[in-house]
Amino acid sequence: QVLPGGAKSVLKRLKRNIAKHGLLFIPYRLWAVVAERPITTIVATRFGQRSVPVTTVVAHSIHAPDVLATVRTWEPDIGLSIGAPILREELFTIPRYGTLNIHCGEVPMFRGAPPAFWELYTRSDRIGATFHRMDRGLDTGDVLDQAIAPLFPTDDLRDASNRAYELGHVVFERALHRLAADPAATGTP
């Protein structure tokens, strides 16, 4: 869990995102706060959260030295990034087999956030989800699995997002089975 840095920090991030994405960012964030169904909820429900021990680390930054030291003590085999902010290399390279990310978007066309928004904005006729290894770029790592579904002219942001999350669930489950057999797996099957 990462604590927000207070109102000043939130306003600074909002200003940076508006500068990067334009005023279109505001309606997306309002929708995301009100209606988004986090994929972590889907994963915890589907894979039985009770059977996996969970340690919560409370910090102002997931890249803080004490957080990195804590993660190193776990000696993880694989890291999973599900709905996380952009991770720095110093964190995502700690696990022995690297860190894997579920991205609700088709790469390379739709890297980064927000899911479904840019597909609708650009009038794409499809939506995707990608499971990939993390590297220095934004959603540029080796793709382990990907799924694509159509977008329809009547789809709104909720419809498209729900489809992306469902695809994310599919690629996540398939990739986990593949990784169970070979944690160092590379490339699309």
Side-chain angles (χ1 to χ4, degrees):
Q1 180 180 7
V2 179
L3 300 175
K8 188 174 182 178
S9 177
V10 169
L11 288 174
K12 184 178 177 181
R13 288 193 310 266
L14 179 61
K15 184 178 176 182
R16 186 176 57 234
N17 279 311
I18 290 172
K20 181 177 178 182
H21 301 292
L23 291 175
L24 291 171
F25 182 77
I26 293 173
Y28 163 74
R29 286 310 302 160
L30 290 174
W31 176 86
V33 169
V34 173
E36 189 171 56
R37 185 175 81 174
I39 197 163
T40 51
T41 304
I42 297 168
V43 172
T45 304
R46 177 72 179 215
F47 292 100
Q49 184 177 356
R50 284 180 245 131
S51 65
V52 177
V54 176
T55 302
T56 301
V57 177
V58 179
H60 287 287
S61 169
I62 59 175
H63 299 103
D66 56 326
V67 173
L68 297 174
T70 299
V71 173
R72 282 187 194 95
T73 65
W74 297 338
E75 298 178 353
D77 290 323
I78 292 180
L80 291 174
S81 171
I82 304 171
I86 295 173
L87 302 182
R88 295 183 193 151
E89 188 172 7
E90 62 194 358
L91 177 59
F92 71 73
T93 57
I94 292 174
R96 181 167 48 149
Y97 296 108
T99 299
L100 306 158
N101 180 51
I102 181 70
H103 171 67
C104 287
E106 180 185 2
V107 298
M109 286 71 64
F110 296 101
R111 293 185 169 131
F117 181 84
W118 293 111
E119 286 87 340
L120 291 173
Y121 182 76
T122 61
R123 300 185 191 278
S124 175
D125 62 351
R126 54 199 259 169
I127 188 117
T130 308
F131 194 80
H132 65 93
R133 292 193 177 277
M134 293 187 76
D135 64 9
R136 289 182 181 169
L138 182 61
D139 298 324
T140 59
D142 189 31
V143 173
L144 296 175
D145 204 338
Q146 190 171 60
I148 308 297
L151 282 176
F152 302 103
T154 57
D155 283 341
D156 61 14
L157 189 55
R158 181 176 296 211
D159 297 328
S161 293
N162 285 341
R163 197 163 303 121
Y165 291 138
E166 290 301 319
L167 291 170
H169 183 183
V170 169
V171 297
F172 184 79
E173 189 169 354
R174 285 191 318 218
L176 285 184
H177 286 287
R178 184 171 173 217
L179 290 165
D182 179 11
T186 59
T188 309

